[in-house]
Amino acid sequence: MKNKRKTTIKDIANVLKITPSAVSRALNDNPRISDKTKEAVKKVALELEYQPNQLASALRSGKSNLVGIIVPKTNSYFFSTVVESIENELNKEGYNVIITQSNESYDKECRNIQTLLQTQVDGIIASLANETIDFSHYEKIKSKGIPLILYDRGENDIGVDYIGIDDYESSHLVVEHLVEQGCKRIAHLAGLSQTRIYKNRIRGYVDALEKHHLPLDTNLIKESNLTLENGREKTKELLKLPNRPDAIYAAGDYAALGALQILQENNIKVPEEIALVGFSNEPFTSLIRPTITTISQHNKEIGKLVAQQFLKRVNDKNWKPVLNKTILKAELIVRDSSKRK
Amino acid sequence: MKNKRKTTIKDIANVLKITPSAVSRALNDNPRISDKTKEAVKKVALELEYQPNQLASALRSGKSNLVGIIVPKTNSYFFSTVVESIENELNKEGYNVIITQSNESYDKECRNIQTLLQTQVDGIIASLANETIDFSHYEKIKSKGIPLILYDRGENDIGVDYIGIDDYESSHLVVEHLVEQGCKRIAHLAGLSQTRIYKNRIRGYVDALEKHHLPLDTNLIKESNLTLENGREKTKELLKLPNRPDAIYAAGDYAALGALQILQENNIKVPEEIALVGFSNEPFTSLIRPTITTISQHNKEIGKLVAQQFLKRVNDKNWKPVLNKTILKAELIVRDSSKRK
DNA sequence: TATATTTGTTCAATCGTTTGAGCAAATGTA
DNA sequence: TACATTTGCTCAAACGATTGAACAAATATA
């Protein structure tokens, strides 16, 4: 009962007294093979439980049907749904997906690329680690002529296709909404400004305040790594100000939750005394009470677009990498934490 | 500036006027190659930016260094952390991981296996879809002699290595805890009893009641698909009973959250009037107020053990599949939703 | 009927690496 | 000095599929 040698096209060829080439062509529906032979081949293939060896095929044809994805952190709702969506799209087209995570580390990201290239992936889909500020490791991908698609992070950095949401405008949506609710002192729990998306959210926040003729108070901007704990810390600081904010806009949902906890622990009514808005539409934002107003990044949509962009590139023989941004309009999901009216 | 042909061991061989075989052996640190040659080869490899072609290597050596994982649903905290942990372990050993999801569908699971086998993975790590009650598709993996490791779901079904937690005993932990808190009528929002893990939780619940001399009231057992919505529905039903429960033990955290929402909407004090326990330690259970008591499945630990088991199997030349269960003791995480004392 | 075209297949090379066998030179042993 | 062993490399055949070129037979064209 040993695992009998795998059947190959050669075995099929032997049974039918034809050559392996004919078998290969028959299986690939080559027009030069007669229907009779095709049928016979497929029948025998089934009988012998033939399983094509993708490695061999990939080696010869130069196409592995593997796509590498680099994720900063798999363990995040946003990224895991984006990946899920990419996967669904690409599986349909016969591609398999290899997921690697950088854990927000520049070194790991470099190694990921190395590994993926060795695995001869047909393309790479990546979102930059927070640490990454040098991009030379991505040049290797470009110079090999392998399609490279970025999503969420890396907008202008590498000069290839990028899909993400409009962070600048998202902040406008938030501020506008809060102003409509009657807020006048809007604080911002900002992300680290070295990451472009967070910088954009800050810019958007500042410009939106100006647009609505609200004064800019830099005491109300707290840079944070956006964890729950840090959200708590920074919120405490905000509450200590002589002139408290009447709204908090956090650039991440976990920070927003941290803020909410501190507010509730201090018996501050949300949204009546302080309104609260988060960012990312993490699942828990709709689960807790009050539900948290947040920005939806259209996770599924981003994944779908990324996959489609990849397919376009991989099928375009003489494609050259060039900066090409697809910016989705984000959506404000208004929930109880900011609904004053 | 075209993508110049990739450098191969042949190119290195040409530069050094030696043969490709020598280069291959040098790169793999074969003892029969002199240190001088090894150094020279590695230097040239670096200069020419040589990237080994894993496909070719895999084809020849019969080892792809790819491991396939089948997940019922990537978009779940439990599964995504398990996968993350498996990945970390296996990456260390030079394996790459291909993730596929069955979406709880039997058909998709079959196709996943098909795909993974074609990709010539060195092993498969799987958790069964809820739908799966026939296991013949897994026999193909076994008969090919490819290591197969199951986790969380599939305990006894396929006769291979399995790693999971002790669901039966988990229910005991929960019931015991609730009894200690003074609860006498403990309801159970149970999972679908066709899935073994849920059946075990039900068995554990029933036996634990008996152990503590509590009467079994089948009205207090509600089978559910354990979604938030369904948790709400079933909880409403429980509240309509002439004789309300004083505790609810849900076999899933989302169902527990649904229960909590209904209780709060009805101004029922948790845990004073009705205590609540969930299952899985989803992140939100510690984020909301009251925090929810739940069972931790040791996600990281499971992933680590799965990976180690795979490594053991793949390195054991004459390994034969045989049922071998590793059952972890689950941990009860007591939080506010059940703390009466 | 003679020639051109199409059809259906075979032949042989190839993708890039690994690996068993072979062989000469260097080194060890008696 | 003669023989055995070790060292360091070369040779050539794989792994399993794909693919351009070749070619005979069948069919079409003039």
Side-chain angles (χ1 to χ4, degrees), chain A residues 8-9 21 24-25 28 50 53 56-57 60:
Chain A
T8 70
I9 51 170
S21 7
S24 169
R25 291 194 162 99
N28 292 316
Y50 168 70
N53 183 327
S57 161
R60 175 60 231 243

Side-chain angles (χ1 to χ4, degrees), chain A residues 7-9 12 27 44-53, chain B residues 114:
Chain A
T7 62
T8 70
I9 51 170
I12 303 181
L27 290 171
V44 175
L46 221 63
E47 280 167 8
L48 299 185
E49 293 190 333
Y50 168 70
Q51 290 266 6
N53 183 327
Chain B
Q114 178 83 0

Side-chain angles (χ1 to χ4, degrees), chain B residues 3-178:
Chain B
N3 41 314
K4 45 185 187 283
R5 211 175 50 70
K6 283 174 277 199
T7 62
T8 71
I9 52 170
K10 229 170 177 170
D11 300 320
I12 302 180
N14 285 338
V15 171
L16 294 172
K17 307 282 178 222
I18 56 176
T19 60
S21 6
V23 174
S24 168
R25 291 192 162 99
L27 291 171
N28 292 315
D29 264 328
N30 186 304
R32 295 290 287 274
I33 298 291
S34 69
D35 289 349
K36 206 182 93 201
T37 308
K38 282 184 188 170
E39 266 177 49
V41 165
K42 284 172 188 168
K43 186 158 153 275
V44 175
L46 221 62
E47 280 166 8
L48 299 186
E49 293 190 332
Y50 168 70
Q51 291 267 4
N53 183 328
Q54 283 218 332
L55 292 184
S57 162
L59 177 59
R60 174 61 232 238
S61 66
K63 209 164 171 306
S64 65
N65 285 306
L66 253 27
V67 177
I69 303 188
I70 301 178
V71 186
K73 201 86 198 66
T74 43
N75 188 348
S76 126
Y77 182 75
F78 172 71
F79 286 120
S80 80
T81 39
V82 168
V83 167
E84 186 181 343
S85 163
I86 294 177
E87 235 183 315
N88 285 337
E89 280 312 290
L90 292 186
N91 283 348
K92 275 188 229 157
E93 302 293 321
Y95 286 95
N96 280 310
V97 150
I98 296 186
I99 299 170
T100 62
Q101 54 181 337
S102 64
N103 269 318
E104 303 286 9
S105 144
Y106 169 77
D107 285 337
K108 186 80 194 295
E109 192 174 286
C110 290
R111 270 179 288 137
N112 286 342
I113 291 178
Q114 178 83 0
T115 310
L116 291 176
L117 289 180
Q118 283 185 196
T119 315
Q120 310 293 119
V121 293
D122 288 343
I124 293 182
I125 291 169
S127 194
L128 303 188
N130 264 331
E131 272 186 35
T132 302
I133 45 173
D134 168 69
F135 313 108
S136 50
H137 49 313
Y138 281 97
E139 292 304 320
K140 208 186 288 174
I141 304 173
K142 284 167 70 178
S143 75
K144 287 214 176 198
I146 296 173
L148 170 61
I149 318 280
L150 297 179
Y151 65 101
D152 193 51
R153 306 198 197 147
E155 198 173 346
N156 298 312
D157 299 324
I158 301 169
V160 292
D161 292 297
Y162 167 88
I163 285 112
I165 60 152
D166 190 334
D167 288 283
Y168 177 80
E169 212 236 327
S170 300
S171 288
H172 272 82
L173 288 177
V174 172
V175 170
E176 196 143 314
H177 163 68
L178 289 172

Side-chain angles (χ1 to χ4, degrees), chain A residues 59-203:
Chain A
L59 177 58
R60 175 60 231 243
S61 65
K63 208 163 172 307
S64 65
N65 285 306
L66 253 28
V67 177
I69 304 188
I70 300 176
V71 186
K73 202 86 197 67
T74 44
N75 190 347
S76 126
Y77 182 75
F78 172 71
F79 286 121
S80 79
T81 40
V82 169
V83 167
E84 187 181 343
S85 162
I86 294 176
E87 236 183 314
N88 285 336
E89 276 320 284
L90 292 186
N91 283 349
K92 277 189 231 159
E93 303 292 321
Y95 285 95
N96 280 310
V97 150
I98 296 185
I99 299 169
T100 63
Q101 54 181 335
S102 63
N103 269 319
E104 303 286 10
S105 145
Y106 168 77
D107 285 337
K108 186 79 193 296
E109 192 175 285
C110 290
R111 271 178 287 137
N112 286 342
I113 291 177
Q114 178 85 358
T115 310
L116 291 177
L117 289 180
Q118 281 184 197
T119 314
Q120 310 293 120
V121 292
D122 288 342
I124 292 181
I125 291 170
S127 195
L128 302 187
N130 265 331
E131 271 186 36
T132 303
I133 44 174
D134 167 68
F135 313 107
S136 49
H137 48 317
Y138 281 97
E139 293 302 321
K140 208 186 288 174
I141 304 174
K142 284 166 69 177
S143 75
K144 287 215 176 198
I146 295 173
L148 170 61
I149 318 279
L150 297 179
Y151 65 100
D152 194 51
R153 307 198 197 144
E155 198 173 345
N156 297 312
D157 300 323
I158 300 168
V160 292
D161 292 296
Y162 168 87
I163 285 111
I165 61 152
D166 190 335
D167 287 286
Y168 177 79
E169 212 236 326
S170 299
S171 287
H172 272 83
L173 287 177
V174 172
V175 169
E176 195 143 315
H177 163 68
L178 288 172
V179 167
E180 273 173 15
Q181 301 298 312
C183 301
K184 303 231 173 326
R185 279 182 61 72
I186 301 171
H188 184 32
L189 293 182
L192 301 175
S193 57
Q194 72 190 45
T195 307
R196 189 184 305 269
I197 57 173
Y198 296 127
K199 203 189 315 190
N200 288 343
R201 292 181 199 171
I202 297 173
R203 272 183 42 236

